[in-house]
Amino acid sequence: MSKTESTMVKLGTVAPPFELPDVISGSGMSRDDIFASAGDEARGLLVMFICVHCPYVMHVEAELAKISEDYEGLIAMVAIQSNDTVEYPDDGPAGMAEQAARVGFRFPYLLDESQEVAREYDAACTPDFFLFDARMRLAYRGQLDDSRPRRGDFGNDIPVTGKDLRAAMDAVIAGKAPSPEQRTSLGCNIKWKS
């Protein structure tokens, strides 16, 4: 299990636009479509880079589903899968759709087959979180919480709560800047095409 940290993109960076296919609906969805679909009360946009096979994502996927329920209509959410699906076929559209149904994701799950969106966002690992305010300015990037999957001599028994990301989302909803003390996300590296 690799341990790759997120790149900690500069706060205030504007969310790059994108349009990718949603494996659940089959429709193309853009950054602006996703923000608009959250409704008039939405105060921000959460872009998550996740996948199906990564043990770090499997460790937190139930919490991501819970967050999508708890913040529905307040923060627009989208997950993007950018891994090479030739080398990692479990991360392909069928696996993504199965994961979304099994876990109960309430957000679009987009396939970034070209990997261009991951590069635009400077995503490095799965999971990698980017929270933008209503003006599409980066307010938070970093870990979900302190919990890590236990494997061999690595990991811990801290429960998954999403506390770091939830605190940042609560701040954005309140119109405030999240604490600038943000810790890197940690996960498997994005599986880049050779």
Side-chain angles (χ1 to χ4, degrees):
M1 179 167 70
S2 67
K3 294 183 273 190
T4 301
E5 293 185 348
S6 55
T7 57
M8 302 303 276
V9 173
K10 184 179 179 191
L11 293 174
T13 299
V14 175
F18 57 79
E19 182 157 351
L20 296 168
D22 177 16
V23 300
I24 299 163
S25 70
S27 302
M29 299 198 78
S30 72
R31 177 200 68 185
D32 297 339
D33 294 336
I34 291 159
F35 187 71
S37 70
D40 294 339
E41 298 299 312
R43 297 291 180 249
L45 170 68
L46 175 63
V47 178
M48 303 172 285
F49 289 85
I50 66 172
C51 69
V52 179
H53 88 277
C54 171
Y56 292 91
V57 174
M58 289 189 278
H59 183 67
V60 302
E61 64 186 6
E63 179 62 18
L64 299 181
K66 192 164 188 276
I67 287 172
S68 70
E69 182 179 343
D70 293 348
Y71 288 86
E72 192 167 29
L74 298 172
I75 299 285
M77 296 178 66
V78 62
I80 299 174
Q81 195 299 104
S82 299
N83 281 349
D84 178 352
T85 58
V86 173
E87 292 294 319
Y88 296 86
D90 290 350
D91 289 339
M96 293 167 65
E98 185 280 326
Q99 178 190 31
R102 174 178 46 81
V103 181
F105 291 161
R106 292 176 173 234
F107 44 78
Y109 200 177
L110 312 182
L111 179 60
D112 177 23
E113 195 163 9
S114 72
Q115 303 184 317
E116 289 176 18
V117 176
R119 291 186 194 287
E120 285 288 318
Y121 276 75
D122 208 9
C125 57
T126 55
D128 209 348
F129 302 99
F130 299 84
L131 176 63
F132 300 89
D133 64 20
R135 297 180 312 137
M136 294 294 150
R137 304 258 178 216
L138 185 62
Y140 179 84
R141 72 289 190 250
Q143 69 177 9
L144 180 72
D145 58 29
D146 294 320
S147 183
R148 301 290 182 264
R150 182 168 290 290
R151 295 184 51 128
D153 64 349
F154 177 75
N156 58 47
D157 295 317
I158 297 172
V160 178
T161 62
K163 70 177 180 68
D164 293 51
L165 182 59
R166 285 175 177 271
M169 293 169 80
D170 291 342
V172 166
I173 291 166
K176 299 177 181 172
S179 167
E181 298 299 316
Q182 301 176 9
R183 295 185 56 202
T184 58
S185 188
L186 184 70
C188 295
N189 61 298
I190 289 181
K191 308 307 185 210
W192 302 107
K193 296 178 181 179
S194 46

